[in-house]
Amino acid sequence: MAGKFGDYSCDSPWALIESAARAMKSMHGEGIEFVLWTGDALTRSTSMSVELRLLCLRNLTDLLHRTFKGQFVFPALGHEDVGVNYTQLATLWQHWLPPEAVDTFVKAGYYTIEQRSKKYRIVFLNTNLWLSPVDSRMLHRVGSSTVDNTQDPFGQWFWFQSVLENARKKKETVYIVGHTPPGVDDHENGAPTLNERHNTKYLQTVRLYSDIIRGQFFGHWHSDTFRVIYSDTGLPVSWIMMAPSVTPNTLVGGPNNPGLRLYKFETNTGEILDYTQYYLKLPEANSNGKANWLIEYSLLEYYNLREISAITLHDLADRFTQSNDNAFVRYYAANTVSLPREVEQVWGCGGPLNGVCALHHYCTVTRLNPESYRECYSSYAYALASTAPSTMRPYFALHLLSMVICAEVLNDR
Ligand SMILES: [Zn+2]
């Protein structure tokens, strides 16, 4: 039943992947500084052989290499990118990774890239080492039956912290790139993703180095979203961006239109200035037999922001809770990459936008500690269920939220 460019219930066919790479190349060819490949190139199928996995990764690597000839593509390992060992991957990607990066990559899939002339650095984490629980296929891959996931698996923490410390000494700014972000499930149930200890440690580390961290980029959820990280006293100090996936299918939660993102940044300072989100209207592409990738929106203009910072993104999240603001309606459309209404209604917010849905997203964006998320969600949801006639609930909930949030900022984060 799937068309040439795929289906909302399927992962990407080759034609879709190829069209995505070509579209970005033809629109922005020479202006691209580097490409971030945030993982999960492989399928969730457990029956795929190592040979087939390697072949898929090789095809994708070749495509990106051919398409972005003059640029570097930097991959981060996704939670599905397992079953192939680090040495095989490092060999596959050696034309992109400098020797120092290969040295740490072959150890456990993490590395850093230094842009010496420009004073910024990119740190690529292997978030698979911090998942809860660690995928048993990873234990097999590293040839060990006793990986201790609670302390510092494969020394990634020690390495990460020393990279940050050195960057500060050298007055470099830093981007962090990984696959699975800290915090809770973007789609529905607020389930944590990283092991609790690693989640907490990650947030603490970002707080400690928020003066040099200029951006964090993750994937995993397939949806378009962001996170705000707060200091111990409740001030917004850092942010995470998650671009939506090329694949339209999501295992948990609803599907999305295929998406690709172009960030605009100041190359000397590393400051992220804006981004443009591109997308493909899947049904239209299939019926025309042609993939017409279009601009979906640009961040600053779409939400009427003056800049990208932890403070402006915190303010944006707060606007989700205000009934006289359309920020949440816009966010939700972007979250599913402008999924057609009739498809969206089967999933996501379960039909028309409502207060509970806005609440989930507000809490997900602003509470990266699973316990804080639960408190945020349940306290407001209780008020939502126990008051006002049902038709009034969305409005009531939104008003209620905007009133209570201010009081909560300082003690909950
Ligand atoms: Zn993933």
Side-chain angles (χ1 to χ4, degrees):
M1 298 294 284
K4 181 180 174 189
F5 298 101
D7 187 274
Y8 288 125
S9 57
C10 303
D11 273 325
S12 312
W14 187 251
L16 174 63
I17 298 169
E18 213 169 23
S19 80
R22 277 192 190 145
M24 200 50 105
K25 177 69 181 176
S26 69
M27 288 183 287
H28 296 286
E30 301 315 306
I32 297 173
E33 192 80 8
F34 54 83
V35 178
L36 299 179
W37 182 7
T38 52
D40 275 1
L42 295 177
T43 169
R44 52 185 70 96
S45 162
T46 49
S47 58
M48 235 177 150
S49 68
V50 176
E51 290 72 26
L52 192 54
R53 285 172 177 271
L54 204 53
L55 183 62
C56 287
L57 287 169
R58 178 161 293 131
N59 287 343
L60 287 164
T61 301
D62 288 348
L63 172 69
L64 293 173
H65 193 43
R66 274 199 316 274
T67 310
F68 301 101
K69 273 205 188 70
Q71 286 102 2
F72 283 89
V73 177
F74 299 128
L77 289 178
H79 82 283
E80 300 291 350
D81 301 326
V82 292
V84 182
N85 71 43
Y86 297 128
T87 311
Q88 287 168 311
L89 292 170
T91 308
L92 198 59
W93 295 332
Q94 63 186 353
H95 47 280
W96 292 324
L97 308 184
E100 318 86 84
V102 170
D103 286 349
T104 59
F105 190 95
V106 294
K107 193 178 163 204
Y110 51 79
Y111 63 100
T112 176
I113 299 288
E114 189 181 1
Q115 299 283 15
R116 281 189 196 88
S117 59
K118 291 170 179 164
K119 286 288 184 192
Y120 68 86
R121 165 183 293 284
I122 318 174
V123 177
F124 294 85
L125 297 171
N126 178 3
T127 52
N128 293 342
L129 301 175
W130 296 338
L131 293 181
S132 176
V134 168
D135 192 312
S136 61
R137 290 172 293 171
M138 282 186 47
L139 301 182
H140 174 70
R141 181 177 50 165
V142 296
S144 161
S145 54
T146 53
V147 170
D148 180 1
N149 188 36
T150 57
Q151 294 305 313
D152 188 6
F154 296 91
Q156 183 167 230
W157 275 120
F158 179 79
W159 169 84
F160 183 31
Q161 285 163 330
S162 54
V163 167
L164 290 169
E165 200 50 47
N166 283 332
R168 183 179 271 159
K169 276 186 203 140
K170 291 177 169 174
K171 299 194 179 348
E172 292 172 334
T173 55
V174 175
Y175 297 145
I176 299 169
V177 181
H179 177 72
T180 309
V184 304
D185 193 327
D186 194 59
H187 297 291
E188 41 194 24
N189 56 12
T193 50
L194 300 183
N195 163 291
E196 192 186 330
R197 182 189 140 84
H198 298 307
N199 192 74
T200 305
K201 200 172 164 92
Y202 184 86
L203 299 177
Q204 283 168 348
T205 305
V206 169
R207 280 180 198 122
L208 205 56
Y209 293 95
S210 62
D211 57 322
I212 58 167
I213 296 171
R214 278 290 158 90
Q216 302 167 67
F217 307 93
F218 287 82
H220 186 62
W221 294 124
H222 299 201
S223 52
D224 178 333
T225 183
F226 64 95
R227 301 287 181 266
V228 182
I229 297 178
Y230 298 85
S231 71
D232 293 330
T233 53
L235 298 170
V237 290
S238 197
W239 52 260
I240 301 176
M241 292 285 175
M242 279 156 271
S245 56
V246 170
T247 178
N249 177 246
T250 310
L251 188 61
V252 182
N256 51 278
N257 272 317
L260 266 183
R261 182 173 292 182
L262 182 78
Y263 289 96
K264 189 175 163 192
F265 72 106
E266 171 57 62
T267 50
N268 291 317
T269 61
E271 187 188 349
I272 303 287
L273 303 170
D274 199 0
Y275 70 68
T276 305
Q277 182 61 45
Y278 290 88
Y279 78 131
L280 183 68
K281 292 179 185 168
L282 194 55
E284 200 181 284
N286 281 333
S287 63
N288 296 342
K290 194 170 172 291
N292 188 21
W293 286 80
L294 299 169
I295 292 180
E296 186 190 16
Y297 71 95
S298 290
L299 181 77
L300 299 189
E301 190 219 333
Y302 189 59
Y303 293 115
N304 195 20
L305 306 180
R306 66 178 189 282
E307 61 177 13
I308 300 183
S309 70
I311 293 170
T312 58
L313 292 171
H314 160 83
D315 290 344
L316 173 60
D318 265 4
R319 286 165 55 199
F320 292 178
T321 65
Q322 290 156 23
S323 59
N324 58 355
D325 195 305
N326 67 0
F328 182 71
V329 175
R330 290 186 160 232
Y331 169 81
Y332 192 71
N335 188 251
T336 60
V337 198
S338 300
L339 206 57
R341 179 47 62 104
E342 64 276 13
V343 183
E344 193 281 316
Q345 279 182 343
V346 182
W347 303 89
C349 283
L353 293 174
N354 62 50
V356 173
C357 184
L359 175 62
H360 161 71
H361 284 280
Y362 167 75
C363 296
T364 308
V365 167
T366 58
R367 308 296 203 277
L368 278 78
N369 173 320
E371 201 178 316
S372 303
Y373 168 86
R374 281 192 295 275
E375 276 169 28
C376 171
Y377 188 73
S378 59
S379 56
Y380 299 127
Y382 175 77
L384 192 70
S386 60
T387 50
S390 60
T391 51
M392 290 299 291
R393 276 177 202 163
Y395 307 100
F396 180 84
L398 293 168
H399 280 302
L400 178 79
L401 266 170
S402 54
M403 289 187 299
V404 194
I405 284 155
C406 304
E408 220 216 359
V409 166
L410 282 175
N411 52 30
D412 192 47
R413 292 164 189 151

